[in-house]
Amino acid sequence: MSDQVKVARQLVFTGDAAQEPNIEGNLNPVKKFVSYDFTELALDATNKYTNYIDTTSAVALASGGVTLTTAATDTKTCSMSAGGIWWYPAKNPVVEMRFQLDVVTTVAINVGFSDAVSEGSGALPFTISGTTVTDTATNAAMFCFDTNQTTKYWYIVNTKANTEGGTILPSSCAPVAATDVVLRVALDSSGNARYYYNGVEVGYKASATTSTTPLVGYFGIRNNTATAHIATLKYIRYWCDM
């Protein structure tokens, strides 16, 4: 008899599981799972989150998530990182974020793994002009959308020791205003990256990032003109080997 019981979708506990203990024995997981759902009364920037804001940009708790609002000044950035720079590719880390944008005009956004909690004033880890991807990060694997790009679909981007690359996704991966989207980036111990859009794998990059460089889950928004933009981040979730 096998020592493993495989569950195809999910476990459902019946009875009084919400009020009474429903697991007997010591849990001994082989994967780490961390979730930031932004249900607390105030953001704890001292040990959970790192916010970066330009001038009058703002990060704040809102119903159902965190709002990141850029200042109404040209090329101002607002970003959030969670959990610290300690997600090593050697541990096969995964980051997933659910969010929505108020509009998909005159804006740039980055979602995924990066090697810094912020990039400073006016900067994101990646931007795109026309079809040219430019990195500020040294090692990263992310989704990027930038209205300065020629075709307005998500790109999957990466940089390994400051050598960047990007691949545009199909029209089915075009951002939609005021609509939730779930983006996931999964790394393996060789630094290869897999990209998922609403639960479907949409891309793969071999040797996407340096396998020995620790990373952090990064979410950032920048306005490309003097107009404020708002992103609402619903959650950040991580998985990795112990």
Side-chain angles (χ1 to χ4, degrees):
M1 180 178 177
S2 173
D3 289 333
Q4 293 183 328
V5 177
K6 294 186 177 180
V7 180
R9 295 294 295 175
Q10 65 181 11
L11 289 171
V12 177
F13 295 101
T14 60
D16 201 22
Q19 286 80 32
E20 300 293 336
N22 60 352
I23 297 175
E24 184 175 338
N26 296 321
L27 290 176
N28 193 13
V30 296
K31 290 278 189 180
K32 179 184 289 291
F33 171 66
V34 179
S35 181
Y36 298 94
D37 297 294
F38 311 119
T39 56
E40 56 266 58
L41 296 177
L43 290 176
D44 183 1
T46 61
N47 56 26
K48 284 187 178 182
Y49 314 114
T50 300
N51 305 327
Y52 180 82
I53 54 178
D54 264 330
T55 60
T56 56
S57 298
V59 177
L61 282 170
S63 177
V66 168
T67 57
L68 294 90
T69 305
T70 65
T73 309
D74 198 13
T75 62
K76 295 300 181 181
T77 52
C78 191
S79 67
M80 171 173 281
S81 301
I85 308 174
W86 60 276
W87 301 92
Y88 278 92
K91 296 294 186 180
N92 301 298
V94 179
V95 65
E96 179 180 281
M97 304 191 196
R98 184 184 189 101
F99 64 95
Q100 65 174 250
L101 303 172
D102 61 339
V103 296
V104 291
T105 56
T106 64
V107 68
I109 188 162
N110 284 197
V111 183
F113 279 118
S114 189
D115 60 2
V117 296
S118 70
E119 297 295 341
S121 182
L124 293 174
F126 295 93
T127 55
I128 305 171
S129 179
T131 58
T132 300
V133 177
T134 301
D135 65 2
T136 302
T138 302
N139 287 281
M142 312 188 84
F143 285 83
C144 177
F145 175 75
D146 189 335
T147 53
N148 290 325
Q149 68 195 50
T150 301
T151 305
K152 305 302 190 286
Y153 309 147
W154 283 102
Y155 270 71
I156 54 174
V157 295
N158 74 290
T159 184
K160 182 177 182 180
N162 271 139
T163 300
E164 73 277 358
T167 303
I168 193 168
L169 296 177
S171 59
S172 58
C173 299
V176 180
T179 301
D180 280 7
V181 62
V182 178
L183 301 184
R184 174 187 287 203
V185 178
L187 301 176
D188 66 25
S189 57
S190 297
N192 305 317
R194 296 185 183 276
Y195 300 80
Y196 298 82
Y197 178 89
N198 285 337
V200 177
E201 184 174 346
V202 292
Y204 172 81
K205 285 183 173 292
S207 293
T209 190
T210 303
S211 60
T212 56
T213 298
L215 306 170
V216 66
Y218 176 100
F219 182 93
I221 184 172
R222 187 188 79 172
N223 56 332
N224 287 334
T225 62
T227 302
H229 293 300
I230 302 172
T232 303
L233 178 60
K234 305 298 182 68
Y235 66 69
I236 301 175
R237 291 176 182 167
Y238 294 104
W239 296 260
C240 76
D241 297 343
M242 299 289 278

